[in-house]
Amino acid sequence: LSAALGVHAAVILDPGTTGSFEISVRFPEQKGSHQPRPTDGGAEENGEGGTPGTWTVVHSKKKSGSGFVDSLEKLEGILRAVENAGIVQKTVVDKALRGSTPF
């Protein structure tokens, strides 16, 4: 994410061995140009909504059976969730998916 979008990703370790692999996006608390879309209750796993200041699961190995991020389609879903949270612009994600990024 850092190289593709210029976004810092953090790792939060589970205690012990869980077999889980989840990716969440935190919707910004501030209002303005980075205001997230409102949630419709189905935001989990698609990153299309979220309450400001909260985390939304956008990929889950176990819960949705999505497995590891091992395809371009899965990566695009994660990057689009970052975009939908208002963290980066669509053009940045589009360029990252084409392999053309300034970061």
Side-chain angles (χ1 to χ4, degrees):
L1 290 176
S2 179
L5 303 179
V7 174
H8 175 70
V11 176
I12 302 171
L13 299 176
D14 290 329
T17 304
T18 64
S20 295
F21 182 81
E22 292 184 340
I23 298 174
S24 299
V25 172
R26 184 167 189 258
F27 284 74
E29 293 182 36
Q30 69 271 15
K31 303 235 183 250
S33 62
H34 297 294
Q35 185 175 5
R37 298 177 185 172
T39 184
D40 61 2
E44 189 167 306
E45 300 275 341
N46 64 19
E48 291 184 359
T51 304
T54 63
W55 293 90
T56 299
V57 175
V58 296
H59 181 90
S60 176
K61 176 184 163 212
K62 290 175 80 173
K63 289 182 183 175
S64 67
S66 296
F68 291 105
V69 182
D70 55 3
S71 69
L72 185 57
E73 291 79 17
K74 292 177 185 179
L75 176 62
E76 180 173 6
I78 294 164
L79 298 182
R80 294 293 176 200
V82 172
E83 170 194 333
N84 290 334
I87 298 168
V88 297
Q89 295 179 347
K90 180 182 184 313
T91 55
V92 174
V93 173
D94 291 344
K95 287 179 181 179
L97 291 169
R98 288 193 310 265
S100 170
T101 178
F103 303 103

